Amino acid sequence: MTGLQLGFGRVDFTPDGPVYINSQSYAPDIKEPIFASCVAWQDADLTVLQFSLDIRNIYDRFYNMLHEAVAQATGLPKNQILIAVTHNHSAPD
């Protein structure tokens, strides 16, 4: 393979029901969709996945579980999998 290849994906993971916002406020419903997006970067020597989640933050336990699941599903080492959040104060925990 020569050159850089890119791939993009997005999935809606909006919860159906009530959620907590900022671990304090209770929201009876979600008015906007919540997405997980991914960009895959690949050249001849390296593949990197870059995820962005529309949530306020990501706790260590969930981050570690997600990181491990993606590594196992793709066979990529964890240092080639990037996970970030949008830190939206109106998104659920």
Side-chain angles (χ1 to χ4, degrees), residues 12-32:
D12 182 336
F13 70 104
T14 308
D16 290 330
V19 296
Y20 282 98
I21 307 295
N22 294 327
S23 301
Q24 301 168 11
S25 304
Y26 177 76
D29 60 358
I30 305 283
K31 296 186 182 347
E32 299 290 332

Side-chain angles (χ1 to χ4, degrees), residues 39-77:
V39 177
W41 311 74
Q42 184 176 42
D43 67 12
D45 301 318
L46 182 67
T47 299
V48 175
L49 299 178
Q50 181 178 347
F51 291 89
S52 177
L53 308 175
D54 291 341
I55 56 178
R56 184 179 69 89
N57 60 16
I58 187 167
Y59 297 103
D60 287 345
R61 181 171 176 247
F62 178 66
Y63 174 86
N64 292 333
M65 288 175 16
L66 179 59
H67 212 200
E68 184 64 35
V70 173
Q72 286 184 4
T74 63
L76 291 174

